[in-house]
Amino acid sequence: MKEVTAAIILKDNKVLIAQRAPGEKLAGKWEFPGGKIELGETPQECLKREIQEELEVEIDVLDFFGESIYAYHSGSINLMAFWCQWIAGDYKMSVHSRIEWVTRQQLDLYDFSPADIPLVEKLKAVMNS
């Protein structure tokens, strides 16, 4: 099972979501940004690296938020999400075609990848409306 991380980044009571770019796995689907844990890396180290690579921003990884296990045709993943805080940098995209800051109510308007859906539901339960 692949271990994958996801960042829950909040700003002004909105959460950052990203759309997978054409040519990527799950192209067009929305997700919380993150990526695969490399050998010898902690989930927190992975998130810092992945967010730097994918969005060119520096984050602090805070508390564990939750996890989702999902079996895709290509194999199962364990998606581990963490609360994160933006520290520095301007958001740029390399593996995403769009990023959006959305409210709790707007989360239902986006087509999330299957592994992210349980995290979306949990986030809707804890975010201020």
Side-chain angles (χ1 to χ4, degrees):
M1 180 178 307
K2 287 183 190 161
E3 292 193 314
V4 183
T5 59
I8 308 292
I9 305 171
L10 296 178
K11 177 181 82 172
D12 302 326
N13 208 31
K14 292 182 179 181
V15 64
L16 179 73
I17 60 172
Q19 187 177 40
R20 303 287 296 181
E24 297 285 330
K25 283 185 183 176
L26 300 170
K29 294 282 190 183
W30 288 85
E31 66 181 2
F32 300 109
K36 290 189 246 359
I37 298 175
E38 294 182 353
L39 191 61
E41 202 174 40
T42 68
Q44 294 86 346
E45 290 167 341
C46 170
L47 257 184
K48 284 183 166 227
R49 176 186 52 76
E50 286 282 352
I51 298 303
Q52 180 64 49
E53 289 173 4
E54 292 182 0
L55 299 172
E56 296 186 28
V57 296
E58 186 182 342
I59 60 166
D60 256 346
V61 180
L62 307 173
D63 296 329
F64 180 74
F65 172 73
E67 67 184 336
S68 166
I69 296 173
Y70 190 83
Y72 287 103
H73 293 298
S74 57
S76 296
I77 69 164
N78 179 16
L79 180 61
M80 296 171 278
F82 291 82
W83 293 109
C84 296
Q85 182 176 11
W86 172 87
I87 299 209
D90 296 322
Y91 289 90
K92 298 179 177 81
M93 294 169 281
S94 60
V95 299
H96 297 101
S97 55
R98 290 172 52 201
I99 59 171
E100 300 278 343
W101 291 96
V102 299
T103 65
R104 175 188 176 280
Q105 295 86 350
Q106 292 169 322
L107 285 167
D108 288 331
L109 304 176
Y110 294 85
D111 182 20
F112 281 89
S113 62
D116 286 80
I117 291 172
L119 299 174
V120 170
E121 293 304 315
K122 182 173 181 176
L123 187 60
K124 285 174 13 187
V126 300
M127 273 182 84
N128 295 329
S129 30

